Amino acid sequence: MNRFSYLRASSVSEAVEAVAGDPAARFIAGGTNLVDLMKYDVERPGRLVDITRLPLNGIEKTPGGGVKIGALVPNSDLAYDDRIRRDYPLLSSAILAGASAQLRNAATTGGNLLQRTRCYYFYDVGTPCNKREPGSGCSAIGGETRIHAILGASDSCIATHPSDMCVALSALEAVVHVQGPRGDRTIPFADFHRLPGDQPEKDNTLEHGEMVTAVELPAPRFGRHHTYLKLRDRLSYAFALVSVAAAIELDGDNIGKARVALGGVAHKPWRDADAEASLKGVLPSSSAFADFADRLLSGARGQGENDFKIELARRAIVRALGQAASGTPQVQSVKQVN
Amino acid sequence: MSNVHPYVGRAQPRVDGPLKVSGLARYSAEFAADDLVYAAAVPSTIAKGRIVRIDASAAQSAPGVVEILTHENRPNMPAEDEPYKADMVAVPGGPFRPLRDDRIWFSGQPAALVIADTHENARHAATLVKVEYEALTPEVDVSNARDRAYDPPEKRNGIPPPPPPRGDAEATFKGSVIRLEEEYRVSAEHHNPMELQATTVEWDDGRLVIHNKTQGVNNPKNYVCSVFGLDPEAVQVSTPFVGGAFGMALRPHYDLTLAVMAALKLKRSVRLVLTRGQMYTMGWRPDTLQTVALSAGEDGRLTSVRHEVIQATSQFEDYQEPTVNWSGLVYDCPNVTLGHKLAKVDTSTPSDMRAPGATLGMFALETAMDELSYKLKLDPLELRLKNYAEADQNDGKPFSSKELKAAYETGAERFRWSKRSPEPRSMKEGRELVGYGMATGCWEAMMQPHGASAALTADGRLEVACGTADIGTGTYTILTQIGADAFSMPIEEVTALVGDTRLPMAPVEGGSWAAASAGNAVRLACAALKEELVKRARGLDDSPLANASVDHVVFRDGRIALASDENVAVSYAKLLGAAEGGRIEAMAKFAPDKEFAEKFSSYTHSAVFAEVRVDEELGVVRVERIVSAIAAGKILNLATARSQILGGVVMGIGMALHEETKWDKRLGRIVNANLGEYHVPAHADVKNIDVIFVDEEDDANPLGVKGLGEIGIVGAAAAIGNAVFHATGRRVRHLPITIDKLL
């Protein structure tokens, strides 16, 4: 860990100004990822701007019938919030599928979005990594790739985004509120994270100094027809090999609207609007879900060791859509997959 | 107050529990010293090659840096290997010596040591040391080194090599109709104890008090005295608590060598705590390729057993553990061939890890036995019973005791094994396939010479002591129980001491020998103390016990009284008042009974039953329940004994389903050297574990104890793998059984 200075910000604008004016500065909230990365010498901020005292920890109704979640709401509070459990159970479920109770207590809503990849090589400063040191090369390609991407990867980077919560936010079409040195803006969730391309050092579309202030969800619409299904190398406390957030709106017996986001497979939660549209008007069935899975995974490419994730994703999508269609979402405390 | 019921045999809570949960138990990285400086090791980023240049200038000028040691400027060290072999559990070959020269043997090897005024400054400066390497292509995969496998030229001391062949396994196998030959592999594992490897050296004007994470304080003491030429009188090793070790703290590691090197050079106190990542640079359960060939007659009796292993070791040492011997021991068979070869890889030397050898070998044997049971269409338990060994055919001796049959029976009944339907894929619960599997476990019941002392102290308490270690297993507690029973004292009035070189001599704590060895030593010390007390009582002026002997008196309620008339007594207080220093102490030495050992073989056994649920479509395996029935002689403490078995079974679940040290094969670097990506079972992976201790009388030592640290893990992984086969019809012969292997 390097030496750094520390500032406790007393307002959002003070925090934004402090970070925007210093390329080596970073915001810190729960610190559950940043502090780890500092210990590994992966992140070497010259200055930490502590935003934990800022008044960004409310969960408020919006005029449109949605909800606005402050960036500092702890993951645990969000998962167990009465309104979130009632109106956005998919979000609650996805949060509870991740990390441990202790980490969820410390981790914040905004911080969750900004988690960095768990790529083995990104964490190992003894190896080249384009995400850590642009231009140094990707050690994962041709290496150990069990936890790596099967979709949207590039020749520069095959890392995945590790969040569970973001997979649900993607399916729920959240909007991210940001305040930066040039004012406020909102970013649709699909545009928040990015694919690695030839700039894998950029996980998302934030500019330096921009701070996530809130995450907004549109009015609830899926009732019980949702699920978060996570498959991993042990039954708890492991990052997803593959996860699926699925939500369906039924129109009579047929599917009206479907949203499916995948975790653990790409540099961002993976969705395909065209594939989702193809489910409209379709009668829920395993074969229809399998066709959809093929479509969603049409561009999938394994790296060797992780080839199995393509088939695993296919099966997980079918199972998850079945759970969503039948209104029997996976309960995270139950380890048997229903 | 006296204790009518003995403490031994009870579920006695840990005597050190309150210290541990309140943070008062002090571990090696927690000892303070005046003027303490902090060290950090700089890990090499290559796995094989040489250091070309070290640029420490940036580190040197970093805040707080006191010294930077490399192979170029380190103090003189003995050039030959011999002094570094002062290690009770040494391995043939040349022991690793940190900062010896420019050669890199394994990834993460310390290339430099930074010493600074604070832990943080040392860590930071360590990241600034620039090391330039000339890298060679490493080989870390034992399966690629298989063609270079060799017979170990020198056998490892204390590890029995495979016994010579008996009968003709090869010819019998060739002539058999019912037979199988398969290769089994268990991925490399690391111990991953909670406590990091650490050493604090307190420098006191040339005298060293060393707190080193170790499973036996005498081992690091002997080592540093030998390597640094120190006067044993001027070195004390004191490690009262160890936060888990599982075998990794048996041998002296480079934290010890480097911390002492720095303390001697700087003439001040030094602490070195390794990082979690550096915990993967020392000691691991070796990757093994095992071949098991079995043949049997129509009646289910084994006609031949062949078991061969190629086991990974480092380039510089020939590490060996008893992997295949079990296959000549557990079942009755006239034709047996066992072989153990090594293959060198560019890693650190493997080390003993919970039930070393047995865990791996019994996984292969017990999986093969399960495969054979299906070929024979015989219940797997029935197959074991048909081939039950009544004597040790490796050594040609009867067993000192073997209640494995009782373990099979009790375990099967508790598990309701009879509900198993024989066909694979024939049991289902909802969406999931259900599988029942079982396996046998075995571990040698060993003992080692141990010294112990027992003392009455001025406050009337009993203090028992032995230089062994309590690595979390419950040694403190059982020694306290034994002392309390010897003097019929409330357990609260007894103190046990372990983990200090000032205490009576004991070897490292390992191999499950500590309970039997230290326990019997303390028992003897208590007997000796009784003799001493009676002698002193007899010698008092006008002693009421002038003619008494130990056989005629009882020790109770703070006094020695005539058994025939307890009103005739001498109080401990009186004896202590007359004693020099207000303390009366006696010593004793326990040694295993050699004559007995020549006549009998002593082993612990287990019968492990597992139920798994498999979501076949998604490859998800859940271990629903495990019954582990143990035959291990006398159980000293039902609570700590049960915990040992629970822990072993949990590690067995990890071996079966989760644990795998992954190397990048191009770089020779471990990619999951942390507890996030190296998966040990989480709570969710562990459901019901039922531990049964069957009655077993054993005469190998007066306490009748056989030891429990290892046996819980042996057989557990095979039972789970066998259950997965029963559920799915898929045989996974390469552990761990991860999702991808079942898709």
Side-chain angles (χ1 to χ4, degrees), chain A residues 6-71:
Chain A
Y6 171 87
L7 172 76
R8 179 182 289 162
S10 51
S11 71
V12 174
S13 19
E14 184 195 359
V16 166
E17 202 177 311
V19 172
D22 179 355
R26 296 280 183 281
F27 299 111
I28 185 163
T32 55
N33 192 203
L34 179 59
V35 174
D36 272 2
L37 290 165
M38 289 170 66
K39 287 181 182 171
Y40 279 93
D41 224 35
V42 174
E43 293 271 11
R44 287 169 241 185
R47 184 179 217 193
L48 289 184
V49 177
D50 180 354
I51 60 168
T52 53
R53 308 297 166 104
L54 303 183
L56 298 172
N57 48 7
I59 302 174
E60 298 156 19
K61 261 184 151 162
T62 61
V67 67
K68 195 171 166 187
I69 303 156

Side-chain angles (χ1 to χ4, degrees), chain A residues 109-128:
Chain A
T109 302
N112 195 307
L113 269 56
L114 302 174
Q115 283 184 77
R116 308 216 64 192
T117 183
R118 295 285 161 166
C119 172
Y120 311 127
Y121 302 92
F122 175 68
Y123 263 77
D124 181 356
V125 292
T127 64

Side-chain angles (χ1 to χ4, degrees), chain B residues 217-226 232-233 235-237 256 501:
Chain B
V217 284
N218 291 296
N219 212 31
K221 176 172 170 167
N222 294 346
Y223 177 84
V224 299
C225 288
S226 171
E233 294 297 314
V235 177
Q236 178 194 346
V237 178
L256 175 72
T501 49

